[in-house]
Each structure stands twice: as C-alpha cells, then as structure tokens.
Amino acid sequence: MNRIFLDVHALQTVPPSNLNRDDTGAPKTAVYGGVPRARVSSQAWKRATRTYFDDERLLDPSELGVRTKKVVELLAKRITALDESIADDTALALADETVRATGLRTEVPKRKADAAKESGETPAPEAKYLVFLSSRQLDGLARLAVDGAADITSYLKEKANKEKAKEIADSRHSVDIALFGRMVADAADFNVDAAVQVAHAISVHRVENESDYYTAVDDENTEVETGAGMIGTVDFNSATLYRYAALSVHKLADNLGQGLRDDEPRTDPVRRAVEAFVHSFVASLPTGKINTFGHHTLPDAVVVKLRTTRPISFVAAFEEPVRGDQGGHVREASDRLAAYVPDIERAYGDQDSTLSWVLRVGPNTLKLADLGTESDTLGGLVTAVGRAVAERLETPA
C-alpha cells in the first residue's frame, strides 16, 4: 500500500482560559524559542477529539470503542442481553473468565471488596488498567462467553477457544482504537500502534500566566453580615495556539483491516475515519474550566497537507515568538506560516506529490490562501480531504 500522511495544522486563539491544568491547577506551559509559551497537552486534545466523535454523531456507535477499567461489568451486561436466563452473578463470572482469556489481568478493587462485605453483593472485578475495546469486540467476547457458559473455565482452557478470545479482542478495531492506538504493558499482543500523532499545542508568542482573585457572596447574608462567603484564585492565560496532528493513513488502513462492515470497499471505512478525524480535531476543544471562562472558539485558519514522504510540522515558523506588533497575533502568525511553508517544502522537495487545502476566517489570514485550495466551510474541507485519501488508497503502489 502507498505511504500516505495527512498533516493538519491550525491557528486558534483562545481568550482568558485554563484549558489544561498542571498539578498546581495552573495552565500548562513550555519553553520554546527561549520564552515561556502557553501549552495544551496532546492527551487533552486527543481526549477532546475522541469524545467529539460521539458527541456530534460523526460516526456510528458501532464504529467506536470504550476505554474503561470496568470492562468485566460492561461485558457482563452484553452477556445478559444475549441470554436473559443467565443470572447477573453468573454473567460477571463468565465475563471475568473471558476477559482473562484475552491476556488481560483483572482483580476486585479493595474498595469494592470492603463494600461487598457489608452489602453481601458479589463485587465486580476490574481490569488493572484502562482497557480500550470496540463495540464489536465486546459483542464477540459476549457471544464466546455465552457459548461456553455451561463450563466457562474448561471451555476457555481449550486452545482453540482461548485463541479465539484473543483474536476477537485484536481484530475489527473501532475507529478510535485504530486512530489513537491501544497500549497494555503486560499484554504486548494486545497493543495497537497509533495511526495518529498529536503535538502539544503551544502559543506562537510569549505568555505569562495570570491569576484571578474571586469572591462569592452568601445569598442568605443579612445587612450586618459583611464579607464574602468564599474567596479563591484561579490561574489563566490567553493565547494564539499552533496546533498540529499527523495521521498515517496507511497505518490507519492496516489497523482497521477489513473494517466494521462486510458489504463495503476497504477504502470506505478509512475514508470515514479520516473525515471524522479531520472534522473532530479541527472543531473539538478541551473543556478544562470551561464553565469559568467560556472559551468557545474555533480555529482562525486550518491548513491540511496530504503527502507521500513524511509528516512535517510547521512549528519552527514560530521558534522566534510572534511579537504582536500589529495589534494581535493571528495576522503575524498567518504571515509567518505563509512564508515558511513554501520555503521548507521547496528545500526538501516535498511539493510535487503534496495536495493542500486551506480553511480560513477573516482578513488576518489572507496570505494563507496561497498555500492550497481554499474551502469555504469545514464540511467542504473534510469532503475534499476524504475524496483525495480514497483516490490515493486506490492508486497502485
């Protein structure tokens, strides 16, 4: 299969906010180009991207997975849904044995064991780590458990059945597993290499965190009761962020395999996954302290590149921090990108086979229009990218 890489770049301005906190509650930062920058971790934006799939119904629920320690309880519910004659306690036992057969480790947490002593209920085991499974994988494991319900221990001791449990858990991956990967330290066979890499978003300019001192009034105070009912502080900053993600389309195709539907060309699930990722990555937003700051913004500019060479981040355009001499940061950041991108692609010979698209808002981003085919809407951009990816996948290597 052809090597195909999709780069997504975005400039996004956020007002006073605290999208992603460190251990002290302050917005995360990083030093780049010798000055402090605002930073939003890759984990925070990957989480926002993944939840956006479901929140905005970009993909069918059957194409998504769930990441949880409570995989035994989740599987037990599917077992009883398949066979209502199986009691809840029995379903938990079946689910636990089946999960263990895949190579995952489970245990009853101490808090649950202690609570069970008082209630007399059977505590549900949990995985010792977060487990990422697709809806289809859970359904397959549930069917396997029901098939061996008469004597699940003996059933799963048979080599063929144990291998089948492992095969079910490691095939027909959901789109989010295929994109973001799956890692279990003590079950290497269970791992799925991620097809997408997301950079930590950083501000294109110098940023210093600020602190807001706030008070809250007790509504029941009388006139003689002065003072606040509560006082506190919250740290924040504001920034124009450079965001970047690199998607290995050929790796995504390998992870998806034949896809979740049997009656469609192999390129279709890959195209849906790519379109959903581009849409979700661009439009999603980490929600840290969002009730406090209401930082609901969208990118001022998006540049998408489809390559056959290797991913290229354009963050070096901002190694020298934008100064904001023009009354803001978006225009200068856009001008920097417009000048830097052609230079680096010319220097490294990455122009001839590269397709480019631009989605931009307002006059401050005007110079970016020369970087690719302009799209008027996010939907138009997503469709154009998806169509190009499908064509590249169908082209002989």
Side-chain angles (χ1 to χ4, degrees), residues 230-280:
M230 181 181 70
I231 60 174
T233 59
V234 59
D235 293 335
F236 67 93
N237 60 36
S238 59
T240 296
L241 300 168
Y242 170 73
R243 301 171 48 206
Y244 170 68
L247 173 58
S248 171
V249 178
H250 54 282
K251 180 62 180 174
L252 174 63
D254 287 342
N255 286 350
L256 285 173
Q258 67 188 81
L260 297 178
R261 303 176 189 173
D262 298 321
D263 58 346
E264 62 182 355
R266 189 171 186 232
T267 57
D268 285 5
V270 180
R271 176 175 179 168
R272 284 200 307 276
V274 168
E275 291 179 349
F277 174 74
V278 172
H279 188 146
S280 188

Side-chain angles (χ1 to χ4, degrees), residues 162-200:
K162 190 169 185 177
E163 290 300 317
K164 187 175 182 181
K166 292 181 178 180
E167 180 185 351
I168 290 171
D170 198 29
S171 59
R172 296 295 179 93
H173 296 304
S174 60
V175 169
D176 40 5
I177 293 175
L179 283 168
F180 299 110
R182 181 173 70 188
M183 191 271 186
V184 179
D186 60 2
D189 292 343
F190 204 72
N191 293 345
V192 178
D193 291 336
V196 69
Q197 300 167 344
V198 177
H200 290 235

Side-chain angles (χ1 to χ4, degrees), residues 3-50:
R3 281 163 46 92
I4 308 172
F5 299 98
L6 190 73
D7 290 335
V8 185
H9 315 262
L11 292 175
Q12 183 166 353
T13 298
V14 290
S17 54
N18 189 341
L19 280 73
N20 186 208
R21 287 167 274 177
D22 65 17
D23 58 336
T24 69
K28 289 184 177 180
T29 58
V31 174
Y32 183 64
V35 302
R37 313 286 184 114
R39 175 172 68 92
V40 181
S41 71
S42 59
Q43 295 92 330
W45 227 300
K46 281 190 283 189
R47 166 71 178 174
T49 301
R50 189 165 66 84

Side-chain angles (χ1 to χ4, degrees), residues 126-159:
E126 292 183 2
K128 299 188 72 174
Y129 25 66
L130 289 170
V131 176
F132 209 170
L133 286 168
S134 74
S135 177
R136 186 148 183 171
Q137 288 165 352
L138 287 166
D139 288 340
L141 291 173
R143 284 191 294 271
L144 184 68
V146 171
D147 289 343
D151 187 352
I152 192 67
T153 302
S154 299
Y155 183 75
L156 291 174
K157 278 184 178 179
E158 295 181 21
K159 184 177 180 180

Side-chain angles (χ1 to χ4, degrees), residues 273-355:
V274 168
E275 291 179 349
F277 174 74
V278 172
H279 188 146
S280 188
F281 179 72
V282 170
S284 62
L285 186 68
T287 56
K289 289 286 184 181
I290 199 163
N291 290 339
T292 300
F293 294 103
H295 51 266
H296 295 283
T297 66
L298 288 164
D300 296 279
V302 178
V303 178
V304 179
K305 297 276 188 175
L306 188 64
R307 308 180 184 279
T308 57
T309 50
R310 51 152 288 185
I312 302 175
S313 168
F314 299 145
V315 69
F318 311 111
E319 191 272 340
E320 180 183 343
V322 170
R323 298 179 60 88
D325 295 338
Q326 302 178 42
H329 298 107
V330 173
R331 176 171 294 178
E332 187 176 345
S334 298
D335 292 352
R336 291 272 195 95
L337 271 184
Y340 178 80
V341 173
D343 280 351
I344 195 167
E345 291 186 334
R346 173 193 51 76
Y348 288 93
D350 202 51
Q351 291 174 303
D352 294 339
S353 64
T354 299
L355 299 177

